[in-house]
Amino acid sequence: MRSPTLIIIISLLTFNLTLIAGESPKINEFVKCEISVKQKSMKAGATGELLISLKPKDGIHINLDPPLTLKLDSSVAYLLVGKPIFSKTNKSEYIDIAKPIKQSFTLSKKIKPGLVQLKGTLSYFYCSGSDGWCARFKQPIDISVKVIQ
């Protein structure tokens, strides 16, 4: 009987330490995020485009201030080009979720053929207009690109 109790206590402590450390959960219950690459395969040195779709639940919107940021982990294999491109709603303080957010990136000219993992973090603020709260979310990015000759 003590083993299951001990396992539960350890699990709860680990969960609480994760919250204290400030790590974000990997899934946002208020906003569904889909990330894809426009070009499924690319040559070394080519420029590609990430397509990011944010679909908030009814009553939730994605704020422009503070701004949305996208950072890829440091790598010699790829590099972001410019800033994320997105449309604004009529109110101009929210991102237009009807259109994907686009972010260009370039593969290194020296990269060898095979799969490359683009890893990073998309940070954004989402708010509930009716309940009057906002929160920041850090969406992990981990997507494959096939490098061809």
Short mmCIF file of all heavy atoms in Angstrom, two decimals, residues 30-73:
data_model
loop_
_atom_site.label_atom_id
_atom_site.label_comp_id
_atom_site.label_asym_id
_atom_site.label_seq_id
_atom_site.Cartn_x
_atom_site.Cartn_y
_atom_site.Cartn_z
N PHE A 30 -6.86 27.02 -24.13
CA PHE A 30 -7.66 28.09 -24.70
C PHE A 30 -7.36 28.36 -26.17
O PHE A 30 -8.16 28.97 -26.86
CB PHE A 30 -7.46 29.39 -23.91
CG PHE A 30 -7.93 29.29 -22.49
CD1 PHE A 30 -7.02 29.06 -21.46
CD2 PHE A 30 -9.27 29.42 -22.18
CE1 PHE A 30 -7.45 28.96 -20.15
CE2 PHE A 30 -9.71 29.32 -20.87
CZ PHE A 30 -8.80 29.09 -19.86
N VAL A 31 -6.17 27.97 -26.64
CA VAL A 31 -5.76 28.26 -28.02
C VAL A 31 -5.14 27.01 -28.64
O VAL A 31 -4.17 26.47 -28.11
CB VAL A 31 -4.73 29.41 -28.07
CG1 VAL A 31 -4.32 29.71 -29.51
CG2 VAL A 31 -5.26 30.67 -27.39
N LYS A 32 -5.70 26.56 -29.75
CA LYS A 32 -5.13 25.44 -30.49
C LYS A 32 -4.10 26.00 -31.47
O LYS A 32 -4.36 26.98 -32.18
CB LYS A 32 -6.22 24.70 -31.26
CG LYS A 32 -5.72 23.50 -32.01
CD LYS A 32 -6.85 22.80 -32.73
CE LYS A 32 -6.32 21.62 -33.49
NZ LYS A 32 -7.36 20.95 -34.26
N CYS A 33 -2.93 25.39 -31.49
CA CYS A 33 -1.85 25.87 -32.36
C CYS A 33 -1.43 24.75 -33.32
O CYS A 33 -1.20 23.62 -32.89
CB CYS A 33 -0.65 26.28 -31.51
SG CYS A 33 0.74 26.88 -32.47
N GLU A 34 -1.37 25.09 -34.60
CA GLU A 34 -0.88 24.16 -35.62
C GLU A 34 0.27 24.83 -36.37
O GLU A 34 0.12 25.97 -36.83
CB GLU A 34 -1.99 23.77 -36.58
CG GLU A 34 -3.11 22.98 -35.92
CD GLU A 34 -4.25 22.66 -36.87
OE1 GLU A 34 -4.22 23.12 -38.03
OE2 GLU A 34 -5.18 21.98 -36.43
N ILE A 35 1.38 24.12 -36.47
CA ILE A 35 2.56 24.68 -37.14
C ILE A 35 2.97 23.72 -38.25
O ILE A 35 3.06 22.52 -38.04
CB ILE A 35 3.71 24.88 -36.14
CG1 ILE A 35 3.26 25.81 -35.02
CG2 ILE A 35 4.94 25.45 -36.85
CD1 ILE A 35 4.22 25.93 -33.88
N SER A 36 3.20 24.28 -39.43
CA SER A 36 3.64 23.45 -40.56
C SER A 36 4.69 24.23 -41.35
O SER A 36 4.92 25.40 -41.12
CB SER A 36 2.45 23.10 -41.46
OG SER A 36 1.86 24.26 -41.99
N VAL A 37 5.31 23.53 -42.27
CA VAL A 37 6.28 24.15 -43.18
C VAL A 37 5.65 24.17 -44.56
O VAL A 37 5.10 23.16 -45.01
CB VAL A 37 7.60 23.36 -43.20
CG1 VAL A 37 8.60 24.00 -44.14
CG2 VAL A 37 8.20 23.27 -41.81
N LYS A 38 5.69 25.31 -45.21
CA LYS A 38 5.09 25.44 -46.53
C LYS A 38 5.77 24.50 -47.53
O LYS A 38 5.12 23.84 -48.31
CB LYS A 38 5.19 26.89 -47.02
CG LYS A 38 4.44 27.18 -48.27
CD LYS A 38 4.45 28.66 -48.57
CE LYS A 38 3.64 28.97 -49.80
NZ LYS A 38 3.63 30.42 -50.09
N GLN A 39 7.11 24.43 -47.44
CA GLN A 39 7.88 23.55 -48.32
C GLN A 39 8.28 22.31 -47.52
O GLN A 39 9.05 22.41 -46.58
CB GLN A 39 9.15 24.26 -48.81
CG GLN A 39 8.92 25.56 -49.51
CD GLN A 39 8.66 26.75 -48.56
OE1 GLN A 39 8.63 26.62 -47.37
NE2 GLN A 39 8.46 27.92 -49.14
N LYS A 40 7.79 21.16 -47.89
CA LYS A 40 8.08 19.92 -47.16
C LYS A 40 9.52 19.47 -47.37
O LYS A 40 10.10 18.80 -46.54
CB LYS A 40 7.12 18.80 -47.56
CG LYS A 40 5.67 19.13 -47.32
CD LYS A 40 5.39 19.31 -45.85
CE LYS A 40 3.91 19.59 -45.65
NZ LYS A 40 3.63 20.45 -44.55
N SER A 41 10.08 19.81 -48.52
CA SER A 41 11.49 19.49 -48.79
C SER A 41 12.14 20.71 -49.44
O SER A 41 11.52 21.44 -50.20
CB SER A 41 11.62 18.26 -49.67
OG SER A 41 10.95 18.44 -50.89
N MET A 42 13.41 20.91 -49.08
CA MET A 42 14.14 22.10 -49.54
C MET A 42 15.59 21.74 -49.81
O MET A 42 16.12 20.79 -49.25
CB MET A 42 14.11 23.18 -48.45
CG MET A 42 12.74 23.65 -48.06
SD MET A 42 12.74 24.70 -46.55
CE MET A 42 13.96 25.92 -46.94
N LYS A 43 16.23 22.54 -50.66
CA LYS A 43 17.65 22.38 -50.92
C LYS A 43 18.43 23.20 -49.89
O LYS A 43 17.92 24.18 -49.34
CB LYS A 43 18.00 22.87 -52.32
CG LYS A 43 17.45 21.99 -53.41
CD LYS A 43 17.92 22.45 -54.77
CE LYS A 43 17.41 21.49 -55.83
NZ LYS A 43 17.95 21.81 -57.15
N ALA A 44 19.68 22.82 -49.65
CA ALA A 44 20.56 23.58 -48.77
C ALA A 44 20.66 25.01 -49.29
O ALA A 44 20.74 25.24 -50.50
CB ALA A 44 21.93 22.92 -48.71
N GLY A 45 20.59 25.98 -48.39
CA GLY A 45 20.67 27.40 -48.77
C GLY A 45 19.35 28.02 -49.15
O GLY A 45 19.26 29.23 -49.34
N ALA A 46 18.28 27.21 -49.25
CA ALA A 46 16.97 27.72 -49.66
C ALA A 46 16.25 28.40 -48.49
O ALA A 46 16.54 28.15 -47.33
CB ALA A 46 16.11 26.58 -50.21
N THR A 47 15.30 29.25 -48.86
CA THR A 47 14.46 29.91 -47.86
C THR A 47 13.10 29.25 -47.85
O THR A 47 12.50 29.01 -48.90
CB THR A 47 14.32 31.42 -48.19
OG1 THR A 47 15.62 32.00 -48.15
CG2 THR A 47 13.42 32.12 -47.19
N GLY A 48 12.63 28.95 -46.64
CA GLY A 48 11.32 28.32 -46.46
C GLY A 48 10.43 29.20 -45.60
O GLY A 48 10.81 30.30 -45.21
N GLU A 49 9.24 28.70 -45.34
CA GLU A 49 8.29 29.48 -44.57
C GLU A 49 7.52 28.59 -43.59
O GLU A 49 6.96 27.57 -43.98
CB GLU A 49 7.31 30.16 -45.52
CG GLU A 49 6.48 31.23 -44.90
CD GLU A 49 5.72 32.01 -45.96
OE1 GLU A 49 4.95 31.41 -46.73
OE2 GLU A 49 5.90 33.24 -46.00
N LEU A 50 7.54 28.99 -42.32
CA LEU A 50 6.71 28.35 -41.31
C LEU A 50 5.32 28.97 -41.39
O LEU A 50 5.19 30.19 -41.54
CB LEU A 50 7.27 28.59 -39.91
CG LEU A 50 8.52 27.85 -39.51
CD1 LEU A 50 9.02 28.35 -38.16
CD2 LEU A 50 8.26 26.36 -39.44
N LEU A 51 4.29 28.15 -41.29
CA LEU A 51 2.91 28.62 -41.25
C LEU A 51 2.34 28.26 -39.88
O LEU A 51 2.33 27.08 -39.50
CB LEU A 51 2.09 27.97 -42.35
CG LEU A 51 2.58 28.20 -43.77
CD1 LEU A 51 1.76 27.39 -44.76
CD2 LEU A 51 2.54 29.68 -44.12
N ILE A 52 1.90 29.26 -39.15
CA ILE A 52 1.42 29.07 -37.78
C ILE A 52 -0.04 29.48 -37.71
O ILE A 52 -0.40 30.62 -38.04
CB ILE A 52 2.25 29.91 -36.79
CG1 ILE A 52 3.73 29.55 -36.92
CG2 ILE A 52 1.75 29.73 -35.37
CD1 ILE A 52 4.67 30.56 -36.34
N SER A 53 -0.87 28.55 -37.29
CA SER A 53 -2.30 28.81 -37.17
C SER A 53 -2.68 28.77 -35.69
O SER A 53 -2.47 27.76 -35.02
CB SER A 53 -3.07 27.75 -37.95
OG SER A 53 -4.45 27.89 -37.74
N LEU A 54 -3.21 29.88 -35.18
CA LEU A 54 -3.69 29.96 -33.81
C LEU A 54 -5.21 30.03 -33.84
O LEU A 54 -5.78 30.93 -34.47
CB LEU A 54 -3.11 31.18 -33.09
CG LEU A 54 -1.60 31.19 -32.93
CD1 LEU A 54 -1.13 32.54 -32.35
CD2 LEU A 54 -1.14 30.06 -32.04
N LYS A 55 -5.87 29.09 -33.19
CA LYS A 55 -7.33 29.03 -33.18
C LYS A 55 -7.83 29.08 -31.73
O LYS A 55 -7.95 28.05 -31.07
CB LYS A 55 -7.83 27.73 -33.85
CG LYS A 55 -7.41 27.57 -35.30
CD LYS A 55 -8.06 28.60 -36.18
CE LYS A 55 -7.64 28.40 -37.62
NZ LYS A 55 -8.01 29.48 -38.48
N PRO A 56 -8.12 30.29 -31.23
CA PRO A 56 -8.60 30.40 -29.85
C PRO A 56 -10.06 29.98 -29.72
O PRO A 56 -10.82 30.02 -30.70
CB PRO A 56 -8.43 31.88 -29.52
CG PRO A 56 -8.38 32.57 -30.83
CD PRO A 56 -7.89 31.58 -31.84
N LYS A 57 -10.45 29.58 -28.51
CA LYS A 57 -11.85 29.27 -28.22
C LYS A 57 -12.65 30.56 -28.31
O LYS A 57 -12.09 31.67 -28.27
CB LYS A 57 -11.97 28.69 -26.81
CG LYS A 57 -11.43 27.29 -26.67
CD LYS A 57 -11.69 26.76 -25.29
CE LYS A 57 -11.27 25.30 -25.20
NZ LYS A 57 -11.54 24.75 -23.87
N ASP A 58 -13.96 30.43 -28.43
CA ASP A 58 -14.84 31.61 -28.48
C ASP A 58 -14.60 32.50 -27.27
O ASP A 58 -14.48 32.01 -26.14
CB ASP A 58 -16.31 31.19 -28.52
CG ASP A 58 -16.71 30.60 -29.86
OD1 ASP A 58 -15.99 30.84 -30.85
OD2 ASP A 58 -17.74 29.90 -29.92
N GLY A 59 -14.50 33.80 -27.51
CA GLY A 59 -14.30 34.77 -26.44
C GLY A 59 -12.84 35.05 -26.11
O GLY A 59 -12.53 35.92 -25.31
N ILE A 60 -11.93 34.31 -26.74
CA ILE A 60 -10.49 34.48 -26.52
C ILE A 60 -9.89 35.12 -27.77
O ILE A 60 -10.28 34.79 -28.89
CB ILE A 60 -9.80 33.12 -26.24
CG1 ILE A 60 -10.45 32.40 -25.06
CG2 ILE A 60 -8.30 33.30 -26.03
CD1 ILE A 60 -10.28 33.05 -23.72
N HIS A 61 -8.94 36.03 -27.59
CA HIS A 61 -8.25 36.63 -28.73
C HIS A 61 -6.75 36.67 -28.46
O HIS A 61 -6.32 36.57 -27.32
CB HIS A 61 -8.80 38.03 -29.04
CG HIS A 61 -8.80 38.94 -27.85
ND1 HIS A 61 -9.89 39.06 -27.02
CD2 HIS A 61 -7.84 39.74 -27.34
CE1 HIS A 61 -9.60 39.91 -26.05
NE2 HIS A 61 -8.36 40.34 -26.22
N ILE A 62 -5.97 36.80 -29.53
CA ILE A 62 -4.51 36.85 -29.44
C ILE A 62 -4.10 38.32 -29.56
O ILE A 62 -4.38 38.97 -30.55
CB ILE A 62 -3.83 36.03 -30.57
CG1 ILE A 62 -4.42 34.62 -30.67
CG2 ILE A 62 -2.32 36.01 -30.37
CD1 ILE A 62 -4.26 33.76 -29.45
N ASN A 63 -3.43 38.82 -28.54
CA ASN A 63 -3.03 40.23 -28.49
C ASN A 63 -1.81 40.52 -29.35
O ASN A 63 -0.95 39.66 -29.52
CB ASN A 63 -2.71 40.63 -27.05
CG ASN A 63 -3.92 41.04 -26.28
OD1 ASN A 63 -5.02 40.64 -26.57
ND2 ASN A 63 -3.71 41.85 -25.27
N LEU A 64 -1.74 41.76 -29.81
CA LEU A 64 -0.54 42.25 -30.51
C LEU A 64 0.43 42.92 -29.55
O LEU A 64 1.61 43.06 -29.86
CB LEU A 64 -0.94 43.26 -31.59
CG LEU A 64 -1.61 42.65 -32.81
CD1 LEU A 64 -2.16 43.75 -33.70
CD2 LEU A 64 -0.62 41.80 -33.56
N ASP A 65 -0.06 43.35 -28.40
CA ASP A 65 0.79 44.03 -27.42
C ASP A 65 0.59 43.38 -26.06
O ASP A 65 -0.53 43.42 -25.56
CB ASP A 65 0.43 45.51 -27.36
CG ASP A 65 1.39 46.31 -26.50
OD1 ASP A 65 2.57 45.90 -26.39
OD2 ASP A 65 0.97 47.34 -25.95
N PRO A 66 1.58 42.78 -25.51
CA PRO A 66 2.95 42.60 -25.98
C PRO A 66 2.99 41.77 -27.26
O PRO A 66 2.12 40.94 -27.49
CB PRO A 66 3.67 41.86 -24.85
CG PRO A 66 2.77 41.93 -23.66
CD PRO A 66 1.40 42.19 -24.17
N PRO A 67 4.01 42.01 -28.07
CA PRO A 67 4.05 41.36 -29.39
C PRO A 67 4.34 39.87 -29.33
O PRO A 67 4.99 39.37 -28.42
CB PRO A 67 5.19 42.10 -30.11
CG PRO A 67 6.04 42.65 -29.02
CD PRO A 67 5.14 42.91 -27.86
N LEU A 68 3.84 39.20 -30.34
CA LEU A 68 4.13 37.78 -30.56
C LEU A 68 5.61 37.67 -30.94
O LEU A 68 6.11 38.51 -31.69
CB LEU A 68 3.23 37.31 -31.70
CG LEU A 68 3.43 35.95 -32.29
CD1 LEU A 68 2.08 35.34 -32.55
CD2 LEU A 68 4.22 36.02 -33.56
N THR A 69 6.31 36.67 -30.40
CA THR A 69 7.72 36.47 -30.76
C THR A 69 7.95 35.01 -31.12
O THR A 69 7.31 34.12 -30.58
CB THR A 69 8.68 36.86 -29.61
OG1 THR A 69 8.38 36.06 -28.46
CG2 THR A 69 8.56 38.33 -29.27
N LEU A 70 8.87 34.81 -32.02
CA LEU A 70 9.25 33.47 -32.44
C LEU A 70 10.77 33.38 -32.38
O LEU A 70 11.46 34.22 -32.97
CB LEU A 70 8.77 33.18 -33.86
CG LEU A 70 9.16 31.83 -34.43
CD1 LEU A 70 8.48 30.69 -33.68
CD2 LEU A 70 8.79 31.76 -35.89
N LYS A 71 11.26 32.40 -31.66
CA LYS A 71 12.71 32.19 -31.55
C LYS A 71 13.00 30.72 -31.83
O LYS A 71 12.36 29.84 -31.26
CB LYS A 71 13.21 32.55 -30.16
CG LYS A 71 13.09 34.03 -29.85
CD LYS A 71 13.65 34.36 -28.51
CE LYS A 71 13.48 35.85 -28.25
NZ LYS A 71 13.95 36.24 -26.94
N LEU A 72 13.94 30.50 -32.73
CA LEU A 72 14.40 29.14 -32.98
C LEU A 72 15.66 28.91 -32.15
O LEU A 72 16.44 29.84 -31.92
CB LEU A 72 14.70 28.92 -34.46
CG LEU A 72 13.50 28.95 -35.40
CD1 LEU A 72 13.95 28.71 -36.84
CD2 LEU A 72 12.45 27.91 -35.01
N ASP A 73 15.82 27.68 -31.69
CA ASP A 73 17.03 27.34 -30.94
C ASP A 73 18.24 27.62 -31.82
O ASP A 73 18.17 27.47 -33.05
CB ASP A 73 17.01 25.87 -30.52
CG ASP A 73 15.88 25.56 -29.55
OD1 ASP A 73 15.26 26.49 -29.01
OD2 ASP A 73 15.62 24.36 -29.31
#
